[in-house]
């Protein structure tokens, strides 16, 4: 048998080339061609988020949640996938009151294929910009969805940590408060101990209102709402940074 026709020995498993499958960033199956100007992206998002502004888009970009392409002249160009990613971020903020840090972690898991999420579809908003499908809870349903006894939710209300709206109705942000309070309770921190958190949040809200109030007259409710959201995120970041710095000294 000639050398040319002699069968090649099997390649050892340890030296075989293994081709790894690249995971397409979320959302998958959506065009990533940057064909949309910032005005086009805003028009697509304002169907559901009528108060969306260029400054809000730039803020989300600064937080690393979306990465539009820059033209040689410096203009931003968005793809349809960028718009869907932005819609996901905005819904998580509006419907679940999740901080951007948590949303970034969720997107990272989606990008890596460690979590799944259907591609979001635009929903029409009411005249005031609030989605018609916004979820609300009673004490009983809030406790059920949070996985805690109804008495625990009642204790949070009695302590002033939760403030139900008219007719005792709770909204999306209250569910996150109950989840956090339940985790703290596992370490012996009861609802009555959380009054300081409520007081601190109220003081931060007063500070935001002082900044935003003049803007309501000068630039309108929409821009004031956008600024309030941005300031709220920055206040949360400041609180977290200060707390982390103080805790690091304990170690």
């Amino acid at each position: 048998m000639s050398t040319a026709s002699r069968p090649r020995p099997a390649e050892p498993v340890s030296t075989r080339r293994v081709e790894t499958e690249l995971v397409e960033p979320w959302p998958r199956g959506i065009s990533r061609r940057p064909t949309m100007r910032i005005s086009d992206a805003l028009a697509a998002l304002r169907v559901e988020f009528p108060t969306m502004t260029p400054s809000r888009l730039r803020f989300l970009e600064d937080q690393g949640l979306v990465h539009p392409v820059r033209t040689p002249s410096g203009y931003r160009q968005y793809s349809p996938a960028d718009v869907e990613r932005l819609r996901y971020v905005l819904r998580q903020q509006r419907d679940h009151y999740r901080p951007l840090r948590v949303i970034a972690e969720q997107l990272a898991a989606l990008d890596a294929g460690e979590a799944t999420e259907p591609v979001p579809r635009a929903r029409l908003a009411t005249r005031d910009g609030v989605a018609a499908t916004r979820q609300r809870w009673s004490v009983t349903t809030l406790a059920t969805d949070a996985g805690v006894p109804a008495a625990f939710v009642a204790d949070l209300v009695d302590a002033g940590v939760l403030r139900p709206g008219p007719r005792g109705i709770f909204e999306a942000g209250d569910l996150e408060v109950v989840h956090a309070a339940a985790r703290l309770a596992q370490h012996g921190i009861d609802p009555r101990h959380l009054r300081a958190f409520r007081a601190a949040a109220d003081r931060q809200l007063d500070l935001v209102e002082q900044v935003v109030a003049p803007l309501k007259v000068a630039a309108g409710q929409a821009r004031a709402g956008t600024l309030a959201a941005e300031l709220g995120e920055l206040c949360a970041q400041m609180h977290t940074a200060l707390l982390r710095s103080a805790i690091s000294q304990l170690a």
Side-chain angles (χ1 to χ4, degrees):
M1 181 181 294
S2 65
T3 304
S5 61
R6 185 178 301 166
R8 296 178 59 186
E11 184 179 3
V13 174
S14 60
T15 62
R16 290 176 186 170
R17 178 190 297 179
V18 179
E19 294 184 359
T20 58
E21 182 180 356
L22 296 178
V23 179
E24 179 186 2
W26 189 89
R28 298 172 182 87
I30 304 295
S31 173
R32 300 188 178 279
R33 292 185 58 192
T35 57
M36 307 172 70
R37 299 168 300 177
I38 191 169
S39 58
D40 300 322
L42 285 170
L45 291 168
R46 281 172 175 164
V47 172
E48 186 174 350
F49 304 96
T51 60
M52 193 65 182
T53 63
S55 64
R56 184 64 176 165
L57 275 183
R58 289 191 292 269
F59 176 75
L60 295 176
E61 178 186 350
D62 291 341
Q63 300 303 305
L65 297 168
V66 67
H67 304 282
V69 173
R70 290 296 189 98
T71 66
S73 55
Y75 292 104
R76 294 171 174 82
Q77 293 281 344
Y78 295 83
S79 69
D82 291 329
V83 172
E84 298 304 333
R85 198 174 179 93
L86 286 164
R87 185 175 287 124
Y88 174 84
V89 171
L90 295 171
R91 282 182 177 172
Q92 292 298 310
Q93 286 188 303
R94 181 196 63 195
D95 298 344
H96 305 289
Y97 289 78
R98 291 195 173 101
L100 292 181
R101 174 184 56 79
V102 173
I103 298 174
E105 293 172 354
Q106 292 175 333
L107 285 172
L110 290 169
D111 289 341
E114 299 170 356
T116 58
E117 177 77 19
V119 175
R121 296 182 180 274
R123 292 179 294 177
L124 291 177
T126 57
R127 182 172 297 179
D128 62 359
V130 179
T133 57
R134 190 172 182 177
Q135 190 172 1
R136 293 177 171 86
W137 291 269
S138 65
V139 168
T140 303
T141 56
L142 180 62
T144 299
D145 286 357
V148 300
F152 183 76
V153 175
D155 287 345
L156 289 171
V157 174
D158 291 341
V161 178
L162 284 180
R163 293 172 182 166
R167 300 180 182 178
I169 297 301
F170 299 91
E171 299 199 8
D174 296 319
L175 180 61
E176 186 177 355
V177 171
V178 177
H179 279 151
R183 290 193 293 269
L184 288 169
Q186 294 174 358
H187 300 278
I189 301 177
D190 297 328
R192 59 192 173 86
H193 298 136
L194 304 180
R195 292 172 180 150
F197 289 88
R198 179 81 256 182
D202 289 341
R203 287 194 295 271
Q204 291 170 4
L205 178 61
D206 289 342
L207 181 61
V208 171
E209 287 183 336
Q210 290 177 24
V211 176
V212 170
L215 192 63
K216 290 182 180 180
V217 178
Q221 186 71 32
R223 187 173 178 186
T226 298
L227 177 60
E230 294 181 9
L231 289 174
E233 290 292 339
L234 291 173
C235 286
Q237 292 174 21
M238 173 62 74
H239 176 82
T240 301
L242 290 171
L243 186 59
R244 285 176 176 168
S245 176
I247 289 176
S248 67
Q249 297 177 17
L250 295 178

